[in-house]
Amino acid sequence: MKHDERNHSRRAFLSKSIKGMVAGGIFGKFTGNALSFNLEDKKAEAEKEIICRTLGKTGIKIPVVSMGVMNASLPELVRRSYEIGIRHFDTAAVYMEGQNEEMLGYTFKGLGVRDKVIIGTKIFIPHEQRGMSPEKVKEIYLRVANESLKKLQTDYVDILYSHSVNDLKWLNHPGILEALQLLKKQGKARFIGFSTHSNMADCISDATRSGLYDVILTMFNYTLWDDQSLLNALKNAHLKKIGLIAMKTQCPQYGGHWKDVPSSKLPYYEGKMMHAAVLKWVLRHPFITTAVPGYTTFQQMETDFAVACDPEYTEEEKKFLNDKNMNLSLGYCRQCGECAKQCKNSVDIPTLMRVHMYAECYNNFYHARQTFDDIPSNQSLNSCASCNQCSVHCTHGINIVNRIKELQAIYG
Amino acid sequence: MKTKISTSLIVFLQCTLILYGVILEESASAGEQDKLGGLGFSDRIGLFPEIPGWKKTDTMDTYDRRSLYDHIDGAAKLFLSYDFEALQLVEYQRDDSASVVVEIYRFQTPLHAFGIYSQERPLKGKYLKIGVQAYLEAPILNFVVGNRYVKINSFGLGKDADRILHTFALTIAVKIGGTTSLPAALAYFPLNGKKPNSEKFFAKDLLGYEFLCSGYTADYVDDNREFQLFLIEGTHSDDCLEMLKRYLQLAKSGQKIIKEGQYDIKDPNYGEMSLFWKGKTICGVLNLADRDKRMKYTIQMEGLIK
């Protein structure tokens, strides 16, 4: 009963994580009652257990929710984030033309908490200017890193990234590697890493092989739920103890995904529900140490950080993630039924695609199994097993054959 | 001497020709056509002038609301919240491999262009009167003019960087046209104690509160104490009434009757603060413990608001 073992394993793991137990050395916890709070009515928050994970071989243990500072310009938002328990703050030299780092440095200096926070910053050279000589690239990296330290009002950053690495040439660029390693040797960067927004699987796999980077900041969100090459690359990197941090976790907020949704319903799709549900989806992957949602309001901060204490989906969030419009925006199976018409064995492919979604996307193996069991046996995977030439083509681009194979691995 | 005069004459003629070209194109172009949306007429003819000694690359990169993310990654979110419309990018190259990259971001309104600029400008910088305002921190020079935010980044300019960036900026600013004035509402901030160039415009969620609309902040110093003033301009007084009600709810204030005037609020994130509501305007003082001083500044702002 392979599926039962997998089911049990995942569910047990999640259950343990939610209770804040240390599972296999991945999770840790702390209560925030040692933190300083300015206001009496905030003390209750501090008693909640915050789930922490260790960032690969760096040994840094941080809450699973961090702050992506990039679009925030309010020192009070950073201060309040620190007060509620956030310890890892992600910025970059280019964010707000350096004002983002400046604000962060100003705030931490005022709070006097530099030694209690983890600061990650990034060095970026625009893609169209990456043809420079290695010497020039190294010079720019060293100059920008030193400017960042000045703006952050610190002698070191905890993680220094090469920003926006989307190809292996830039990943292994000698100028960048020399600069980062020199900065690490000088103690100006405790750990080095890279951020990646596209071609992630290749970059992560290569970095896993080379072992040159300590941390990878990768785009990771529910729209990538069926990207097996990325998921495998992340799992392998995690096994090699490379710290993995997720960014762009709440991608629908960048707009443009809801063109078919009436404007009156947009608050539902872009609001609190979306932020929490999709952030939970990311953090339910144990190879991700922490996420850096880029919040800009106190309400968003509270919504995001609440996930650090309870990543279990609520019933409403499950409903939201199953919402037809959500699925339309994700490239999920639209349940249009066109595939079923093409199958000469009359397999109930739409339902099998739902089973796949429940299992792989939501990790809800219980519901997946229930749905799977409801399919008549002559329309289920048995019929697929006798067919070696699947000619079914999804008009929306879903790789049905792959998903069927994955289901066969679980339920076959 | 003769050589110097000849050189000066050539430079003068070149500048005259550039400006002449600018004027000709301005007469046919810019803001009005942008109202069509997308890449308007002014974009099609290009806002990138010829600069003597520099050659434009053949291609011009363009980005819209959907593709901006491809260029600036997550920072796109902030730009989109300021009603970003389009970006054009052109690189200029010189024979010695030096290069200048010019990015022209177009926003729906001049206020939004100023807003994003205000978020990115440094407190301490070399400020110039180009367009509405420019700051120069070689190798970059950024400025705002009309509904455009222009970023000029350079590579390998050496000691001449300041002068060359200045030339680029002046020429491009004239070509773009549009308002060269700061937002009128900034005049409501008292001058005494204000940190120069600290004013910011937030397109939404002022002070980090989703119940507040767009607004302005400015940094102040009084007796070595740093604090902020803020200003909200609603479309009518009902807006302000609603925002004030929400603010009092947040602060768990028991006050039920809401009318125009001064309010002291215990803000859960900023601490003790004061604000003043008058008509469709709310102004306030943050991070200043001394209530009398808070009163002083709100009264000053009230006096400046028309």
Side-chain angles (χ1 to χ4, degrees):
Chain A
M1 296 292 284
K2 190 176 176 182
H3 67 274
D4 284 342
E5 286 169 15
R6 188 172 174 184
N7 183 0
H8 173 76
S9 166
R10 291 203 186 200
R11 288 163 65 194
F13 175 79
L14 287 169
S15 172
K16 284 177 184 174
S17 74
I18 291 156
K19 290 169 185 168
M21 296 177 69
V22 178
I26 295 170
F27 288 177
K29 65 172 182 177
F30 71 83
T31 55
N33 50 3
L35 306 175
S36 62
F37 279 80
N38 292 341
L39 300 166
E40 195 66 24
D41 61 357
K42 300 294 176 187
K43 279 186 180 171
E45 293 175 17
E47 301 301 329
K48 290 179 183 172
E49 289 182 351
I50 299 164
I51 297 172
C52 294
R53 293 177 184 167
T54 301
L55 187 64
K57 59 189 167 192
T58 70
I60 294 170
K61 189 174 272 191
I62 40 177
V64 291
V65 175
S66 300
M67 180 180 187
V69 190
M70 68 161 70
N71 294 319
S73 56
L74 300 171
E76 289 78 9
L77 192 61
V78 174
R79 177 181 57 74
R80 186 74 190 105
S81 298
Y82 176 79
E83 286 176 352
I84 65 170
I86 286 176
R87 288 294 176 271
H88 168 226
F89 298 82
D90 179 83
T91 182
V94 291
Y95 294 161
M96 296 179 163
E97 294 283 354
Q99 297 315 299
N100 204 252
E101 286 184 332
E102 195 111 37
M103 183 274 292
L104 207 54
Y106 168 84
T107 307
F108 287 145
K109 190 180 181 188
L111 290 171
V113 296
R114 174 62 192 96
D115 59 335
K116 296 181 178 64
V117 295
I118 301 299
I119 299 176
T121 194
K122 316 181 197 80
I123 303 171
F124 175 66
I125 292 181
H127 297 269
E128 58 269 19
Q129 286 139 34
R130 292 185 175 181
M132 290 178 279
S133 68
E135 294 75 24
K136 186 68 185 168
V137 170
K138 181 180 176 183
E139 179 195 320
I140 291 173
Y141 265 61
L142 292 175
R143 175 174 57 76
V144 174
N146 285 309
E147 286 171 2
S148 288
L149 292 178
K150 198 174 167 187
K151 285 178 178 167
L152 288 163
Q153 302 192 51
T154 182
D155 298 328
Y156 68 95
V157 290
D158 299 278
I159 312 166
L160 183 64
Y161 299 97
S162 177
H163 192 31
S164 199
V165 174
N166 302 329
D167 61 75
L168 303 188
K169 191 179 170 190
W170 197 245
L171 178 72
N172 297 306
H173 192 286
I176 293 173
L177 291 174
E178 278 181 33
L180 293 179
Q181 280 158 6
L182 178 61
L183 290 160
K184 192 176 178 181
K185 192 177 172 186
Q186 291 172 337
K188 293 178 178 177
R190 287 177 65 202
F191 302 102
I192 58 173
F194 69 92
S195 70
T196 178
H197 305 75
S198 63
N199 195 23
M200 288 98 73
D202 282 353
C203 293
I204 293 166
S205 296
D206 197 77
T208 303
R209 276 192 295 275
S210 73
L212 293 169
Y213 292 94
D214 307 307
V215 181
I216 299 172
L217 175 63
T218 180
M219 181 166 87
F220 187 60
N221 58 55
Y222 61 94
T223 64
L224 301 163
W225 70 285
D226 60 348
D227 188 337
Q228 289 304 319
S229 56
L230 175 61
L231 291 167
N232 287 334
L234 291 168
K235 285 172 191 167
N236 290 335
H238 177 64
L239 288 173
K240 293 281 185 181
K241 297 205 174 294
I242 293 176
L244 297 173
I245 300 175
M247 62 173 169
K248 313 292 175 279
T249 49
Q250 290 136 310
C251 54
Q253 64 186 294
Y254 296 115
H257 293 264
W258 311 116
K259 61 181 180 182
D260 299 323
V261 173
S263 57
S264 60
K265 289 189 175 177
L266 277 178
Y268 174 70
Y269 290 105
E270 296 182 333
K272 189 176 174 180
M273 176 80 73
M274 184 281 290
H275 280 261
V278 298
L279 183 56
K280 285 178 181 180
W281 183 89
V282 169
L283 295 176
R284 290 164 69 95
H285 292 81
F287 48 72
I288 296 293
T289 297
T290 188
V292 288
Y295 54 82
T296 53
T297 70
F298 292 102
Q299 290 96 319
Q300 289 168 3
M301 174 193 74
E302 287 164 7
T303 300
D304 289 345
F305 197 64
V307 174
C309 303
D310 184 6
E312 185 65 280
Y313 294 130
T314 64
E315 287 305 315
E316 273 188 313
E317 286 162 354
K318 285 180 192 169
K319 191 177 163 192
F320 176 78
L321 288 171
N322 280 311
D323 182 276
K324 183 183 160 204
N325 285 315
M326 273 294 284
N327 294 343
L328 280 171
S329 75
L330 305 180
Y332 282 1
C333 171
R334 291 141 170 84
Q335 299 288 297
C336 67
E338 287 301 313
C339 51
K341 292 175 192 168
Q342 300 170 41
C343 179
K344 57 188 177 188
N345 289 345
S346 304
V347 173
D348 187 355
I349 299 172
T351 305
L352 285 172
M353 292 300 103
R354 275 172 49 217
V355 173
H356 190 278
M357 180 177 72
Y358 296 142
E360 283 301 310
C361 180
Y362 305 149
N363 287 338
N364 190 339
F365 283 77
Y366 177 72
H367 192 48
R369 182 75 206 189
Q370 273 191 325
T371 309
F372 179 77
D373 287 344
D374 286 340
I375 303 173
S377 60
N378 63 343
Q379 294 176 30
S380 193
L381 292 175
N382 291 341
S383 298
C384 277
S386 62
C387 174
N388 295 322
Q389 292 291 321
C390 183
S391 58
V392 173
H393 172 73
C394 173
T395 51
H396 298 291
I398 290 174
N399 191 331
I400 290 172
V401 177
N402 268 4
R403 292 186 188 182
I404 294 281
K405 281 180 184 169
E406 285 164 6
L407 288 175
Q408 283 171 330
I410 302 170
Y411 299 113
Chain B
M1 184 61 119
K2 191 176 177 182
T3 310
K4 280 185 182 173
I5 290 169
S6 300
T7 307
S8 301
L9 187 62
I10 290 167
V11 170
F12 173 76
L13 285 171
Q14 283 174 333
C15 289
T16 307
L17 284 170
I18 288 168
L19 288 175
Y20 181 64
V22 167
I23 290 163
L24 280 181
E25 290 193 355
E26 275 301 292
S27 65
S29 72
E32 289 301 312
Q33 296 293 335
D34 291 341
K35 290 176 183 173
L36 297 171
L39 295 177
F41 177 72
S42 60
D43 295 304
R44 288 200 299 274
I45 63 169
L47 295 168
F48 300 89
E50 297 299 331
I51 306 284
W54 293 85
K55 186 183 175 189
K56 278 190 281 188
T57 49
D58 293 336
T59 55
M60 177 174 71
D61 293 334
T62 58
Y63 301 88
D64 60 14
R65 287 183 66 83
R66 281 184 175 273
S67 58
L68 183 64
Y69 180 86
D70 296 336
H71 181 57
I72 56 173
D73 299 328
K77 186 188 168 197
L78 186 68
F79 279 66
L80 294 180
S81 73
Y82 278 80
D83 287 344
F84 162 84
E85 291 184 338
L87 161 66
Q88 292 172 292
L89 183 154
V90 163
E91 184 174 3
Y92 291 76
Q93 291 175 336
R94 205 168 58 182
D95 289 342
D96 63 355
S97 80
S99 66
V100 172
V101 177
V102 179
E103 297 176 326
I104 302 181
Y105 294 81
R106 194 183 82 220
F107 294 83
Q108 201 169 63
T109 69
L111 180 57
H112 286 91
F114 171 78
I116 197 81
Y117 166 81
S118 72
Q119 295 289 346
E120 297 196 339
R121 67 177 168 176
L123 261 180
K124 293 172 185 171
K126 185 177 178 182
Y127 281 90
L128 306 165
K129 182 56 189 168
I130 298 174
V132 177
Q133 189 187 63
Y135 70 87
L136 172 63
E137 279 191 329
I140 66 163
L141 190 157
N142 295 344
F143 69 93
V144 62
V145 63
N147 63 343
R148 258 78 167 192
Y149 177 29
V150 181
K151 294 188 178 194
I152 306 176
N153 199 359
S154 63
F155 302 87
L157 296 189
K159 291 177 182 173
D160 276 346
D162 284 10
R163 182 185 59 79
I164 294 168
L165 289 168
H166 202 164
T167 302
F168 267 87
L170 274 175
T171 314
I172 294 165
V174 172
K175 190 152 191 174
I176 291 172
T179 182
T180 58
S181 302
L182 288 164
L186 297 188
Y188 302 156
F189 286 92
L191 291 174
N192 58 313
K194 187 172 70 176
K195 287 187 181 179
N197 303 308
S198 68
E199 304 96 330
K200 287 184 168 65
F201 172 72
F202 290 79
K204 62 175 188 174
D205 304 336
L206 188 70
L207 312 183
Y209 292 134
E210 290 165 25
F211 59 84
L212 296 181
C213 63
S214 62
Y216 305 82
T217 65
D219 296 342
Y220 281 76
V221 182
D222 191 333
D223 284 342
N224 293 320
R225 173 78 195 184
E226 294 185 9
F227 59 98
Q228 291 78 40
L229 302 191
F230 68 88
L231 174 76
I232 296 170
E233 288 183 305
T235 47
H236 46 72
S237 60
D238 286 351
D239 288 345
C240 293
L241 176 63
E242 190 56 35
M243 285 187 274
L244 196 50
K245 280 181 180 174
R246 297 282 301 275
Y247 212 145
L248 292 173
Q249 275 175 11
L250 175 80
K252 296 178 181 170
S253 165
Q255 195 164 355
K256 299 289 182 191
I257 302 167
I258 296 177
K259 57 182 180 181
E260 290 186 355
Q262 173 100 16
Y263 288 84
D264 292 320
I265 293 177
K266 189 178 178 183
D267 183 298
N269 295 301
Y270 292 89
E272 298 285 347
M273 56 90 73
S274 297
L275 59 79
F276 190 90
W277 170 33
K278 181 182 178 183
K280 58 179 185 178
T281 308
I282 295 173
C283 59
V285 186
L286 298 166
N287 294 322
L288 186 61
D290 187 330
R291 185 178 180 276
D292 290 342
K293 283 191 175 170
R294 295 203 303 265
M295 285 285 287
K296 182 183 94 174
Y297 281 97
T298 50
I299 289 168
Q300 281 186 33
M301 283 190 91
E302 184 201 351
L304 290 166
I305 293 167
K306 290 169 188 171

